[in-house]
Amino acid sequence: LGQLYWREFFYLCGFSIPNFGQMKGNPVCKQIPWDRSKDAKQKLEAWENARTGYPWIDACMTQLREQGWLHHLARHSVACFLTRGDLWVSWEDGRDVFHKLLIDGDWSLNNANWMWLSCSSFFYQYFRVYSPITFGKKYDPEGKYIKHFLPKLAKFPSKFIYEPWKAPLSVQEECNCVVGKDYPFPIVDHNLASKENMKRMAQAYADNKEEASTPATKKARKGH
């Protein structure tokens, strides 16, 4: 029942909030300086095409492309990874990919959930990040999901399935999958990227708070 309440709430938001499908001009969306460089576009492409080097994320994105559906926890993982967690790419870009691939895509829900997972609106605990390694391992320690959607990693022992780059070269060769050749190295170092992005989020939140307190902003909101 709670999920139905959220659905109806997000429908109301989509109908009543100006520019709900974008960051700019959206009164409930925090203005965050996402990376929109050429490098960011390459990261977006790698994420969309399951080439991040993180098997949990790549398995999720493979399922999305093949089946047009993902469990909500998998959606949470890949959305966090693309935005505030690791790659610092705009939620609008991830939203577009989901809109293109999801068979259960819904404009209001898609926008709302991407704002939520990127901590742009509705949810603001940006220090809570989904790990692309430990989160999936919690529910699937043997990596059966990964082995199903990424068969090139199917022979890896469970101890390395979430982090194949840590497997000795001899193990990689035995599994017929050498990282850097048959499967990519991680696109970023999660520990470093997530910490850096938390700092970016903290600064963005501070900037938004300062902007909201300016006389011009208060006057504009009062007039609206």
Side-chain angles (χ1 to χ4, degrees), residues 13-75:
C13 290
F15 175 77
S16 61
I17 295 174
N19 302 309
F20 191 66
Q22 61 189 53
M23 180 177 75
K24 186 176 181 180
N26 183 342
V28 302
C29 184
K30 290 188 179 296
Q31 304 300 295
I32 297 174
W34 303 110
D35 186 1
R36 300 181 186 276
S37 67
K38 182 178 180 180
D39 181 57
K41 292 180 180 179
Q42 293 174 343
K43 289 178 179 177
L44 173 66
E45 182 179 354
W47 171 84
E48 179 179 354
N49 292 286
R51 297 198 308 265
T52 69
Y54 285 96
W56 165 245
I57 299 298
D58 292 341
C60 292
M61 294 305 294
T62 299
Q63 182 186 13
L64 176 60
R65 179 168 293 280
E66 292 181 355
Q67 300 182 354
W69 183 86
L70 280 178
H71 186 278
H72 76 275
L73 292 179
R75 301 184 193 204

Side-chain angles (χ1 to χ4, degrees), residues 52-215:
T52 69
Y54 285 96
W56 165 245
I57 299 298
D58 292 341
C60 292
M61 294 305 294
T62 299
Q63 182 186 13
L64 176 60
R65 179 168 293 280
E66 292 181 355
Q67 300 182 354
W69 183 86
L70 280 178
H71 186 278
H72 76 275
L73 292 179
R75 301 184 193 204
H76 289 192
S77 293
V78 299
C80 180
F81 183 86
L82 180 69
T83 58
R84 62 186 175 85
D86 292 80
L87 303 187
W88 201 248
V89 174
S90 173
W91 64 267
E92 295 165 301
D93 294 323
R95 180 272 320 278
D96 290 344
V97 173
F98 267 35
H99 182 73
K100 178 173 62 175
L101 298 178
L102 282 173
I103 59 175
D104 63 346
D106 180 287
W107 187 85
S108 293
L109 304 186
N110 199 18
N111 281 296
N113 280 301
W114 272 95
M115 279 188 270
W116 182 306
L117 269 301
S118 65
C119 285
S120 296
S121 191
F122 307 113
F123 177 80
Y124 305 104
Q125 297 179 33
Y126 58 81
F127 47 85
R128 294 180 60 183
V129 174
Y130 290 87
S131 167
I133 300 168
T134 61
F135 185 73
K137 189 182 296 186
K138 176 182 177 181
Y139 298 98
D140 181 18
E142 295 183 12
K144 293 180 180 179
Y145 177 81
I146 291 172
K147 292 179 179 182
H148 176 78
F149 285 104
L150 300 178
K152 67 177 63 178
L153 298 177
K155 295 182 180 180
F156 272 82
S158 58
K159 65 182 293 186
F160 296 122
I161 192 63
Y162 285 88
E163 300 172 280
W165 61 91
K166 289 187 176 182
L169 180 59
S170 59
V171 173
Q172 296 180 36
E173 291 175 339
E174 289 176 6
C175 296
N176 296 318
C177 182
V178 175
V179 177
K181 176 184 176 182
D182 305 302
Y183 183 73
F185 280 106
I187 192 169
V188 295
D189 182 316
H190 170 69
N191 290 329
L192 296 178
S194 60
K195 290 178 181 178
E196 178 62 27
N197 289 348
M198 285 184 200
K199 294 179 182 179
R200 290 171 168 170
M201 289 297 290
Q203 184 60 56
Y205 272 42
D207 292 344
N208 275 261
K209 184 176 181 180
E210 182 177 345
E211 173 65 21
S213 65
T214 62

